[in-house]
Structures are given as structure tokens and as C-alpha cells.
Amino acid sequence: MELSERVDGLMDGLVADLERLTAIPSIAFPGFPAEPVQQAHDLVVELLHGAGVQRVERLDLPGTAPVIVAEVPPPTPDAPTVLLYGHYDVQPPGDESLWLSPPFAPTPVEGGLRARGVADDKANILVHLGVLRAYGGVPPVGLTIVLEGQEEYGSAFDDHPPTDPARFACDAMVIADLGNLRPGSPTLTTGLRGAAEVVVEVRTLAEPRHSGEFGGAAPDALLALLKALATLHDVHGDVAVEGLRRDAWTGAGYTEDEFRALAGVEDGVPLIGSGSLGERLWSGPAITVVGIDAPSVDHAASAVVPYARAKLNLRFHPEQDPRRAQDLLVTHLESLRPFGIPLTVTPGDTGPGFEPATDGPAYRAALTALREGWGSEPSYVASGGSIPLVNGLARAAPDAEVLLFGAQDSMCNLHAPNERVLFSELRSAVIAEAAFLREFAASHRKGDAA
């Protein structure tokens, strides 16, 4: 039976199991109950055993939801090993009034299913399970399956793989926490921007002072902060911090209309920045003011503001050193004296970007497999988001090729209300991953023979 026919016969069961898994509110954030996370863990373990995986272990790290590490031995001693990654935790649903149906009541939509976490990342767990089922539990390669339970919040697992490299040793890995640029368009992600946080604050007065009596001479902390923040971008909206890397983008990308729709840009409001969208989103920096402490409008007094602070999120080129990128932003801010007022700048967390090699046998096998899965020519994009664990896994297996693809698509509303996955993408991703294992095993044998 052809691979696509085998997968077609599995789809009803995969969808049913996806509904079971997405009905569990496995939110691994502080303030949410831990029991649903454990329930999701237990269901995934059950499904792995049901797909023929005999060795399923639980890895417990401090302050971290359990990590599932499962192994399928290679069919022959010379067969390669592939690591498959996903995560079973989900983002909080946010404002549930914005959802068209309860976020943890999986609901059919045209061609797919709506629920929190259905695309990010539970559909990709079902991709791995679908591959196992398609091969009757005996794939043509050895497998190490890593499914973590606290990816969305972050955990100690990000830095764990290099401390136990034997457990994560492999010849290639499929990071199934991404997907296609648009539905039906097979896409490999070949870059992840890094991320850093910086807090900048201004204190000028012991306490608020009457704006009529003191305004005009008393130093306004909020004005000083706003003046400083305004220096981070030029008149076009491009980042103006010197030294942050920006390269031309030559891969696929969104049209402006697609991006405006995806971002929900209001009619008549222009996009910021210049150059291609790929440069602005993937191969260049972005600085976003993600939070600001200042008096609210509804409770504002007529007074000079004595204190204000802002939290900045910096995204930077996949190959730029994270500490260097953060230091450039810190140095820029510390050099400022808005109205002669010094700023206090505090660096926060950083996460490196990642840019995998694209010239090896696994990458070539993936291109063939994506063509089989989606029936069209693959393209490549980058991601403005970060997956810190990828760097940990790459350090643990430095010679392994890293492939980033999956059942998501950029229109699936991940981290947003009404998240959904399309069954066509789920089906194609299962076929593509199964075909990749077959093609990579074959290329490995040819390489050994050569």
C-alpha cells in the first residue's frame, strides 16, 4: 500500500486522538493547576505505547513539567537515528470572550479543528504518532522522541541536553514546532531569530508634583522615557541601534496583504520599517515596547510623573551573539541623557537564534519528502520567534542536521484566539515526516556504501 493510502486510513484515529489531547488544558504556567499537564503527559505516553513504542521514560528536572523521552531501536545496526521533537503544553487561552467556542472544547471548523494548542503543538505530536502507526511501530530508522511539557513558559530543560548528550545522540532531528508559510505550501524553516529583554527606568522626583505649579521645569520621568524610546527607530520605523545585524532575505515571504491580514493591521495604518518583509521579520532586528509602567489615563492626576519604566523585547539575526545584541541595546540606552536625565538600564533574559545547515543529506531528504507530502515544491522561510531548546539539542548532537517543519501554518492563530489546525496539513505533515525517515534511511545506506 502506498504511504499516502496508509496515512489516509489513519486519519480518523489521529483526529480522534487530537480531540482527546486538546480537550486537556495543559497550561504549564504559574497559577494554573498542574493536574491537566500531568493528564496530557499520561495520555501521550499511552498513545506512544499504543503506537508500538516499548521504551518510554520520564525525565524530571527541577521546577519543570515531566519530559517524555521515548526510543525506538534502529531496524539494523547501521541505520541512522532521528530525533523527533514536540511539546504537549499549551499557551493560556487569553480573553475567552474572543473565542468563537470554548478553547478547550475541540470544535470542528471548515477543514479542521479549533482549540487552544491544537496547532501549537499537539497536532505535531499526532504527526509523530501517525508516522509510528504508518510504519506499524517499526520505522526504517531508529527514533528518539522528545516531548516536553513546559515549552511555552520555559524551563530548565532548555539547557539540559548538552549535559546528557548520549540520550539525545542522533544523525538528524525534526523539530516539529513550526509549519508552513501558508496552507498547502510546504516550507522548511531555516532560521530562528534570537531574543533578549531589557528594562529601562527613569526616576526624577521623590513624588508627583502639581503639573500647573511645577510643570515646565520639574523633570518629567515619563517624558524622559518616551524621548529615549523614540531614539530606538528611525523615521521609517527601522531599528536605529548601531551594530544590530540585518541581512537581505532571499527566501519565500508574505505578501503585504497577507501580512496585514495576519497581523490584524487596521485599515489605513501603514506597516513600519523599510525593505522586504523578510528582512524586517526574519533577517533583521526588531525592538518592541512590550510593557510600560506609567499612570493610567483613567486614574491620571494633574501631576508631573516622578517614575516610569518600560520593558523592551529585542529580536535579532539568527547568527548574532545574544549577549552582543543585548549589550548593543543596553549601550545605546545608557548613552542617552534625555533632557540631561540618566536612565537605569537592566538587561534581562537572552535566547540565542539558530540557523541550521542546509547542504546535507537530511536536508535533501526533507526536500524530497515535503514534495511527496504536499505535492508541490518546498520553499524556505525563517521565524521571528525563538525555540531555545533547539540550541541545546544542537549542542548535544553537534553533527546532526536540524530540520524545522510541521503541521502548523502561519494562519493557524497560534498564541491567539481561535487557534486551529487543518486536517489537510496534518495529513501532509504525517506523509512528509514518514517519507523523510524513508529517504534519510536510504541516503544513509548509500553514503555507507560509498
Side-chain angles (χ1 to χ4, degrees):
M1 187 183 298
E2 291 290 330
L3 176 57
S4 60
E5 293 175 345
R6 296 202 302 272
V7 173
D8 285 339
L10 296 169
M11 283 301 297
D12 287 348
L14 292 173
V15 170
D17 288 331
L18 182 59
E19 290 177 348
R20 291 173 64 196
L21 189 57
T22 52
I24 302 172
S26 50
I27 305 168
F29 279 63
F32 290 88
E35 291 81 2
V37 178
Q38 184 64 51
Q39 290 170 10
H41 168 277
D42 294 347
L43 176 54
V44 172
V45 169
E46 174 192 323
L47 294 172
L48 286 168
H49 282 308
V53 182
Q54 296 184 6
R55 185 173 181 178
V56 182
E57 297 180 349
R58 171 178 171 140
L59 174 61
D60 288 299
L61 298 172
T64 300
V67 180
I68 299 167
V69 182
E71 294 182 8
V72 178
T76 60
D78 60 345
T81 295
V82 175
L83 185 149
L84 305 178
Y85 168 81
H87 63 88
Y88 62 86
D89 64 304
V90 304
Q91 279 280 323
D95 184 353
E96 295 192 26
S97 69
L98 300 176
W99 286 75
L100 300 175
S101 55
F104 296 104
T107 302
V109 298
E110 184 177 355
L113 192 69
R114 179 172 59 233
R116 168 55 87 222
V118 68
D120 182 21
D121 189 43
K122 292 179 177 178
N124 285 318
I125 292 177
L126 269 296
V127 170
H128 299 329
L129 288 163
V131 170
L132 287 165
R133 293 172 187 178
Y135 282 117
V138 186
V141 300
L143 293 178
T144 298
I145 304 168
V146 179
L147 304 172
E148 66 171 315
Q150 200 170 304
E151 189 274 344
E152 297 291 5
Y153 183 72
S155 76
F157 185 54
D158 288 347
D159 299 315
H160 177 75
T163 70
D164 189 8
R167 185 189 290 267
F168 303 98
C170 60
D171 299 287
M173 58 184 80
V174 177
I175 307 299
D177 194 13
L178 291 155
N180 293 335
L181 183 66
R182 54 183 68 86
S185 299
T187 308
L188 279 170
T189 297
T190 58
L192 302 170
R193 277 199 301 197
E197 291 183 343
V198 170
V199 172
V200 55
E201 54 189 321
V202 187
R203 188 178 296 278
T204 56
L205 304 171
E207 57 188 9
R209 283 291 184 265
H210 191 291
S211 59
E213 295 185 9
F214 295 92
D220 186 317
L222 183 54
L223 279 179
L225 178 62
L226 294 176
K227 188 172 179 65
L229 296 180
T231 70
L232 298 176
H233 297 83
D234 65 18
V235 294
H236 304 293
D238 292 316
V239 170
V241 175
E242 187 174 350
L244 290 174
R245 179 173 171 179
R246 175 169 170 164
D247 292 346
W249 177 252
T250 58
Y254 301 113
T255 67
E256 183 167 325
D257 287 344
E258 282 179 327
F259 182 77
R260 293 181 67 88
L262 288 169
V265 179
E266 297 286 345
D267 290 343
V269 176
L271 304 184
I272 67 169
S274 62
S276 74
L277 282 172
E279 287 182 42
R280 283 180 271 175
L281 298 172
W282 301 326
S283 61
I287 299 175
T288 305
V289 181
V290 295
I292 192 162
D293 290 335
S296 69
V297 171
D298 290 341
H299 299 94
S302 295
V304 180
V305 175
Y307 174 77
R309 68 173 180 166
K311 185 174 186 178
L312 309 180
N313 180 263
L314 167 65
R315 303 286 172 150
F316 48 87
H317 188 282
E319 291 188 333
Q320 187 153 36
D321 178 81
R323 291 295 181 189
R324 170 65 174 159
Q326 185 183 58
D327 288 347
L328 289 167
L329 177 56
V330 169
T331 299
H332 175 94
L333 290 166
E334 287 179 339
S335 71
L336 302 175
R337 292 290 188 275
F339 310 119
I341 299 166
L343 308 175
T344 300
V345 186
T346 305
D349 293 337
T350 63
F354 185 75
E355 193 163 71
T358 58
D359 57 356
Y363 186 81
R364 292 191 293 272
L367 292 176
T368 298
L370 266 65
R371 290 186 195 102
E372 184 171 339
W374 274 273
S376 58
E377 193 66 24
S379 58
Y380 69 92
V381 298
S383 173
S386 305
I387 308 178
L389 178 66
V390 172
N391 294 276
L393 289 171
R395 291 198 304 273
D399 295 327
E401 291 184 69
V402 180
L403 304 164
L404 299 105
F405 66 92
Q408 301 172 15
D409 66 82
S410 63
M411 303 173 186
C412 68
N413 281 357
L414 74 166
H415 292 209
N418 303 306
E419 181 179 349
R420 64 99 181 103
V421 75
L422 297 176
F423 297 144
S424 58
E425 297 297 287
L426 175 61
R427 173 187 180 273
S428 293
V430 175
I431 294 171
E433 186 171 286
F436 166 71
L437 301 187
R438 182 196 68 217
E439 294 295 318
F440 186 53
S443 68
H444 195 79
R445 288 193 299 271
K446 291 177 183 176
D448 288 345

